Amino acid sequence: QLQLVESGGGTVQPGGSLRLSCVVAGFTLDTYSMGWFRQAPGKEREGIACISSTGTSVTNYADSVKGRFTISRDAAKNTMYLQMNSLKPEDTAVYYCAVDWRPYLSFCTLTQGRYAFGGQGTQVTVSS
């Protein structure tokens, strides 16, 4: 049974940092490409970071977070992370992790139509 549980959100001042975690169950983390998505109030959900299966571990970032966010994965812990630095008010959103069910991909995409979501998300608020 697919399980994706996000955690690590909270309220932080502009310029601060947070690290989000996504614990997965029901599948082997490094077999699939994984992604982080977010949805701000009144906006559509958008892909912000992804990482391919372990074979290549290619990463891809949205322009809005490039250079500030880093996606990583610890297969031994079945956990994916999103390190978020230099946070801005516009980063305020609910953050979700998701899995691309095509196995052993050497790439990843930020297009959410390829992903399955299973968690409730974690709220990130950036405010002074």
Side-chain angles (χ1 to χ4, degrees):
Q1 183 177 358
L2 168 67
Q3 287 190 346
L4 297 162
V5 180
E6 304 94 343
S7 65
T11 299
V12 64
Q13 292 186 343
S17 298
L18 284 173
R19 188 177 79 157
L20 305 184
S21 298
C22 172
V23 179
V24 308
F27 63 98
T28 303
L29 181 64
D30 54 358
T31 298
Y32 302 95
S33 295
M34 299 287 296
W36 283 100
F37 295 77
R38 69 184 182 187
Q39 186 167 21
K43 294 187 177 181
E44 293 186 354
R45 188 162 55 189
E46 61 172 343
I48 57 171
C50 65
I51 185 167
S52 68
S53 65
T54 300
T56 57
S57 292
V58 170
T59 58
N60 193 11
Y61 297 92
D63 288 343
S64 58
V65 306
K66 197 172 295 182
R68 299 187 298 123
F69 291 10
T70 302
I71 188 171
S72 62
R73 171 179 51 211
D74 186 335
K77 296 182 178 180
N78 274 350
T79 302
M80 179 177 68
Y81 303 98
L82 185 67
Q83 178 66 43
M84 306 187 297
N85 298 328
S86 302
L87 283 162
K88 304 175 181 180
E90 51 264 43
D91 294 318
T92 295
V94 178
Y95 285 70
Y96 302 88
C97 61
V99 56
D100 185 328
W101 283 119
R102 298 170 291 176
Y104 303 112
L105 290 179
S106 60
F107 64 92
C108 66
T109 175
L110 297 178
T111 303
Q112 65 175 319
R114 289 292 187 179
Y115 287 87
F117 295 80
Q120 297 298 313
T122 186
Q123 175 72 47
V124 172
T125 302
V126 184
S127 174
S128 56

